[in-house]
Amino acid sequence: MAESNYVIVIVALCTVSVVTSANTDTAVTNLTISQITSSSATVTWTLPSSTENITKFDLIYGAENLVLDDVSTTSYALSGLDHWMTYEVCVNSIMNDDSVVESCTSFSTHYTPVNKLVFAAVGCASFLIIMLVISVVIESRFQTKIEEERNTKKKSTSKVGVM
């Protein structure tokens, strides 16, 4: 029976909101990450109870700093992420007076193992190459042995004719 190897990765999703302002009425809430893959995720949030003094949202993750001018936006698809990495995502409310109300959470992208079909293909190709090399070596030795036998017969035939 063939042996199978598996990699099991357990990723816990932890949501922590941080508000760096005393005015929590302008902080986004329920900041969550969903549809997490090895290279993408979706961030969603609930709008603050009051958006009248908010001019925009800054969405910060990894090296990205996006400005969302539409203050009614409640989700964003993150893409181009690296697999098996932990990211912190912040949705900052930017106020009329340029103050910032921050809400953050973190998540980890999934691990992407090399496709099992790739391993199977490489294994089959390796087997075929090894069999080809073995057959060439065997044929070469067989041909050498046939040549040696022919040379031995020629020598013994020529000795018989000399007597």
Side-chain angles (χ1 to χ4, degrees), residues 127-142:
F127 175 76
L128 291 174
I129 290 170
I130 290 169
M131 293 308 294
L132 180 65
V133 168
I134 289 172
S135 66
V136 167
V137 169
I138 290 173
E139 183 179 356
S140 173
R141 289 190 179 179
F142 184 69

Side-chain angles (χ1 to χ4, degrees), residues 146-158:
I146 290 173
E147 289 297 319
E148 287 175 359
E149 287 178 6
R150 283 185 187 157
N151 289 338
T152 305
K153 283 183 182 180
K154 284 182 183 178
K155 287 181 184 177
S156 58
T157 308
S158 61

Side-chain angles (χ1 to χ4, degrees), residues 11 26 32 39 44 56 58 79-80 86 104 125 130 135 144 147 153 156:
V11 177
T26 55
T32 56
S39 63
T44 57
K56 61 186 173 187
D58 279 348
S79 61
T86 299
C104 296
I130 290 169
S135 66
T144 303
E147 289 297 319
K153 283 183 182 180
S156 58

